[in-house]
Amino acid sequence: MIYHYYRVKAGDTLVHPVYLLCWPVLHPAGTNYRLLPEDERFAVYPDLVTALEKAKAGALAYIGRLISSGKAGLPELLQYRIDHYEDLNVNLTEANIRRIEQRVSADPQFHWQPYRIHIPYDH
């Protein structure tokens, strides 16, 4: 059986699915297993829609902190907007999150593929 959850790095817009292949395992009662080492830089969410909403909220909070830092934060703010353009303008918009929510509720096996701009590379 395949299980999954979603990871979002603090201040980032990328929602990263983590897939786990699970099988019955005999282990001592009361044993506490962790899937990955705990890291405060990442938050883990059980469903895609919640992960998208939290990524959006985290990105907006991070942008707000950069704006409040004034002129000194402008270069980092501009670079952040460039680096996260697709997520901020397509993947994490409210309309897109609600569309994904409807698709997930209609099809529990829905596989999300985030929109990315593909720029052809000429040699």
Side-chain angles (χ1 to χ4, degrees), residues 14-120:
L14 179 66
V15 174
H16 180 74
V18 178
Y19 296 95
L20 308 164
L21 180 60
C22 298
W23 58 90
V25 177
L26 298 175
H27 56 82
T31 304
N32 186 11
Y33 292 100
R34 291 193 181 135
L35 301 174
L36 292 172
E38 289 185 25
D39 188 338
E40 65 276 354
R41 295 174 298 171
F42 290 94
V44 176
Y45 304 101
D47 65 279
L48 176 59
V49 173
T50 302
L52 292 169
E53 291 170 341
K54 297 297 185 176
K56 177 181 177 179
L60 293 176
Y62 185 72
I63 289 170
R65 285 192 299 275
L66 291 174
I67 290 171
S68 68
S69 68
K71 204 170 192 175
L74 186 57
E76 188 176 350
L77 174 62
L78 292 174
Q79 190 61 54
Y80 186 84
R81 294 284 298 164
I82 291 167
D83 292 344
H84 299 275
Y85 179 84
E86 295 98 340
D87 287 329
L88 295 170
N89 293 297
V90 178
N91 297 321
L92 299 179
T93 62
E94 191 64 26
N96 193 50
I97 293 173
R98 296 295 73 97
R99 182 182 62 80
I100 291 169
E101 183 176 40
Q102 289 175 349
R103 292 194 61 191
V104 167
S105 65
D107 178 12
Q109 300 302 318
F110 171 72
H111 176 72
W112 178 61
Q113 185 67 34
Y115 173 79
R116 295 287 180 243
I117 296 172
H118 298 285
I119 300 173

